Amino acid sequence: MKLTKSLFVEFVTDPHVAWWHVHDKDGVYADIMKSTYGEMDGLAVGKAAEEQVCRLFAWKNMVNVEKIQRKHPDWYQGFHNVTIEAVNQSPDMIYQPAFLYDNLFAKCDFLVKNEQWTYDILEVKAKNNVRKKTKSAELLDELEADVSFQHFIVKNILKEKYSGKIFLVYMNKEYVRHGEINPAELLMREEVTSEVKKDEAIVNIIASMTKSLKLEREEFKALYPYDNDDHLTFFGKEAAKGSIWNIPQIRNKKKELYEVGKLLIDHFTEDERGVLLSVSGEETRASKYVSLWQQGEQWIDKPGIQEKFDALHYPIFFYDYETISWPVPLLEGTSPWQQCVVQYSVHRMDEDGTISHKEAIVAAGAKDNQTIVDQLVQDLEWGAGTYVVWFKWFENTRNDEMGVQYPQYAEAFAKINENTFDLMEIFSEQLYFHRAFNGSSSIKKVLPVLTDISYDGLAVPHGSLAAELLAGIVQGKYDLELTNKHMQNLLEYCKQDT
């Protein structure tokens, strides 16, 4: 078994993910990746950032190792051989070099020649931030593991040809696109050599990996016991109905409950439910959820719901956004990873019960979203109503951003936010409880329980796929027929939300 950089990073950050990677890559591991990253094309995201590095160093002579044919029965050894040949040619830059050291395999993003004619490592991350939000601001665990593994292998292979310096290149979150992308302003570069793990630590981790990843599942779990992992990662399957993992906002108490064998909500006695109360002994969402679950299948606080509805006034606009988010801004006036509104649906309800519907979606190859925003403000009637959304933080934040990007509409978006009602709160506050929600207040979980409407039969069944398709439309990736097909499916999906 080759110990790759990705496997090393997974083992350091969550050993259970690494175990599934080795033992069930196409099953549980694939499910974990889908649960974590959705439909996002991680390879395309990484390439988008790397292309900007290539543009930044366009004046340098570069060898692209990935494009060189590798004739060797061992793929890893073949990749290594081609890289060494490239290094011996001494180009200014080497793209996608890879090294095999014993059974350790690391693929780097770039080797860049410095003024001393040795090579620095440039590790490119399509991220806005590479550090923890702590006072000491250490590197994120996965990034520390990533650069440490590369540094360890490259210095053992290249020796004096390696400068010993490793840099992280990532996205400048303050960058705003105006016209053609400027990579010198888009990219941040930071030396992190002093933050890599010591050789001894690397060797110890590798020894642990080599030994423990060969173990059977139960032996591995005994060595790495439950530590608030998500259910899929630890058990290899989704949590069953009535599991403690469905209790909302339970946080670190999951581990405590697991260790004493309280795995099902029905296991709780009235006294034991007290462990879910707040420090001051007050009811929490978690304790209330257990209480409601044990009372029966469904519970509805009709007066509480009516009180919220009484605050609404007509006309009522039910609206929803779909967005794109990309490391290299796709649209004018936007920043790396900014959630840019490129589609919406809005149903208007009048006091007499009349309902009308309006919608819009971005054009293929669009350079900005101004046409969408212009029409949106008109269709939301400049804030002259009550606005119903599901999880208002998302829509309200987008409205604030659009108000900054298009100041002529700042007042309208402020009015919309002031008059927003979050329908999700009916369920998150447990004014309407149903066991079949499984502790979730997501519209994807709630709607199929209360109606005969489901997302399962839609061509676009969830937001992550919608975002991926919309990004492809903006980038002009599809031909006319496929673009039109995706647009119709996206309109149907967004309309169902509202």
Side-chain angles (χ1 to χ4, degrees):
M1 177 179 66
K2 294 290 192 299
L3 299 185
T4 64
K5 182 180 73 169
S6 60
L7 192 62
F8 181 87
V9 172
E10 287 170 351
F11 186 82
V12 169
T13 53
D14 191 333
H16 294 282
V17 174
W19 191 92
W20 291 116
H21 192 163
V22 172
H23 293 272
D24 194 6
K25 185 175 181 179
D26 296 327
V28 174
Y29 178 76
D31 291 340
I32 293 171
M33 292 298 102
K34 187 172 183 179
S35 173
T36 304
Y37 301 108
E39 301 293 331
M40 181 178 291
D41 185 343
L43 185 62
V45 167
K47 290 290 186 186
E50 290 163 10
E51 286 171 1
Q52 295 304 314
V53 175
C54 292
R55 290 186 60 212
L56 182 65
F57 292 101
W59 52 273
K60 283 184 174 286
N61 172 33
M62 185 179 78
V63 173
N64 187 341
V65 173
E66 208 168 39
K67 291 186 176 181
I68 301 173
Q69 187 175 8
R70 298 176 285 277
K71 294 181 179 179
H72 197 283
D74 183 330
W75 183 87
Y76 299 97
Q77 187 65 58
F79 214 142
H80 170 89
N81 292 348
V82 169
T83 298
I84 297 301
E85 290 173 8
V87 171
N88 290 336
Q89 294 171 23
S90 194
D92 294 329
M93 285 179 65
I94 303 175
Y95 180 40
Q96 298 289 301
F99 300 94
L100 183 64
Y101 178 61
D102 293 334
N103 70 324
L104 309 177
F105 182 79
K107 192 176 181 184
C108 308
D109 290 328
F110 293 91
L111 292 177
V112 179
K113 189 180 289 183
N114 55 42
E115 293 178 352
Q116 287 73 44
W117 282 61
T118 56
Y119 285 107
D120 301 330
I121 297 175
L122 261 61
E123 175 62 20
V124 183
K125 295 299 179 187
K127 291 177 175 286
N128 279 348
N129 184 47
V130 297
R131 298 194 172 275
K132 298 177 182 178
K133 295 179 180 178
T134 60
K135 188 174 182 179
S136 53
E138 311 101 314
L139 281 177
L140 297 171
D141 290 341
E142 66 268 24
L143 298 188
E144 181 191 43
D146 190 320
V147 295
S148 297
F149 192 73
Q150 290 183 59
H151 178 74
F152 177 78
I153 291 179
V154 172
K155 76 176 181 180
N156 278 289
I157 295 292
L158 292 189
K159 301 187 185 304
E160 70 279 356
K161 292 182 180 180
Y162 173 43
S163 68
K165 294 182 178 181
I166 186 163
F167 296 82
L168 275 176
V169 178
Y170 55 99
M171 320 313 292
N172 176 9
K173 62 184 177 183
E174 304 299 330
Y175 176 79
V176 179
R177 177 171 185 169
H178 294 296
E180 185 71 18
I181 293 288
N182 182 342
E185 295 178 359
L186 171 69
L187 302 174
M188 305 286 285
R189 183 164 68 162
E190 182 177 349
E191 184 178 355
V192 294
T193 311
S194 63
E195 299 176 76
V196 300
K197 293 178 181 292
K198 302 298 184 184
D199 287 1
E200 182 181 1
I202 299 288
V203 170
N204 288 338
I205 294 169
I206 290 168
S208 295
M209 288 177 65
T210 303
K211 179 180 179 181
S212 59
L213 291 180
K214 294 177 181 177
L215 297 176
E216 295 299 319
R217 185 62 191 162
E218 292 307 311
E219 293 178 292
F220 187 86
K221 285 164 63 177
L223 191 60
Y224 298 95
Y226 183 77
D227 191 23
N228 285 315
D229 306 82
D230 70 86
H231 195 279
L232 175 62
T233 299
F234 188 77
F235 295 98
K237 57 185 177 182
E238 296 293 346
K241 183 179 180 181
S243 160
I244 63 168
W245 280 268
N246 297 138
I247 301 174
Q249 294 188 346
I250 198 171
R251 296 188 179 90
N252 294 338
K253 288 188 166 86
K254 283 186 294 185
K255 182 179 180 182
E256 179 183 341
L257 296 171
Y258 172 77
E259 289 174 344
V260 297
K262 294 291 178 183
L263 305 183
L264 296 176
I265 298 172
D266 288 335
H267 288 169
F268 283 85
T269 65
E270 184 66 28
D271 289 339
E272 290 169 337
R273 193 169 63 85
V275 74
L276 301 177
L277 298 175
S278 69
V279 175
S280 59
E282 297 177 345
E283 188 87 280
T284 63
R285 277 187 61 190
S287 62
K288 183 179 179 182
Y289 182 83
V290 171
S291 177
L292 292 174
W293 176 281
Q294 293 180 340
Q295 288 178 35
E297 187 77 9
Q298 177 177 277
W299 182 84
I300 307 172
D301 179 358
K302 291 186 178 181
I305 295 173
Q306 188 62 54
E307 182 180 351
K308 285 185 175 289
F309 284 172
D310 285 343
L312 307 183
H313 60 274
Y314 292 94
I316 300 175
F317 297 86
F318 301 81
Y319 79 97
D320 180 68
Y321 293 151
E322 302 302 332
T323 62
I324 58 172
S325 181
W326 201 247
V328 180
L330 299 176
L331 300 177
E332 182 74 9
T334 64
S335 300
W337 290 117
Q338 181 178 331
Q339 296 276 1
C340 307
V341 176
V342 290
Q343 180 186 353
Y344 67 85
S345 171
V346 54
H347 281 83
R348 171 183 164 144
M349 176 189 288
D350 293 318
E351 194 165 5
D352 64 3
T354 301
I355 295 176
S356 56
H357 177 248
K358 293 182 179 180
E359 61 189 0
I361 191 169
V362 69
K367 301 302 181 185
D368 58 52
N369 65 344
Q370 179 155 5
T371 300
I372 296 291
V373 176
D374 288 344
Q375 188 60 50
L376 170 66
V377 173
Q378 300 301 320
D379 290 344
L380 293 181
E381 299 184 18
W382 293 80
T386 298
Y387 297 88
V388 178
V389 296
W390 199 285
F391 185 45
K392 69 180 181 182
W393 176 88
F394 183 81
E395 268 75 19
N396 283 10
T397 304
R398 304 291 79 78
N399 290 340
D400 287 339
E401 292 166 348
M402 287 186 287
V404 172
Q405 187 177 357
Y406 301 102
Q408 66 270 36
Y409 299 135
E411 184 179 350
F413 283 123
K415 287 181 180 178
I416 291 167
N417 284 357
E418 288 169 9
N419 293 287
T420 291
F421 172 72
D422 191 348
L423 188 57
M424 187 181 79
E425 291 177 359
I426 299 292
F427 306 94
S428 64
E429 295 176 6
Q430 298 170 348
L431 299 176
Y432 195 122
F433 167 87
H434 200 293
R435 285 185 175 184
F437 298 158
N438 282 331
S440 172
S441 53
S442 162
I443 193 172
K444 305 297 189 297
K445 298 292 185 182
V446 170
L447 191 60
V449 177
L450 303 189
T451 72
D452 59 357
I453 300 171
S454 170
Y455 288 80
D456 291 343
L458 295 181
V460 178
H462 49 75
S464 63
L465 179 56
E468 186 75 13
L469 294 176
L470 285 163
I473 289 171
V474 169
Q475 294 173 86
K477 288 173 57 176
Y478 314 117
D479 62 27
L480 180 60
E481 182 179 358
L482 191 54
T483 296
N484 289 335
K485 179 181 178 181
H486 287 328
M487 283 184 170
Q488 286 304 119
N489 292 335
L490 285 161
L491 290 170
E492 180 182 4
Y493 166 72
C494 195
K495 182 179 180 179
Q496 179 159 298
D497 275 350
T498 60

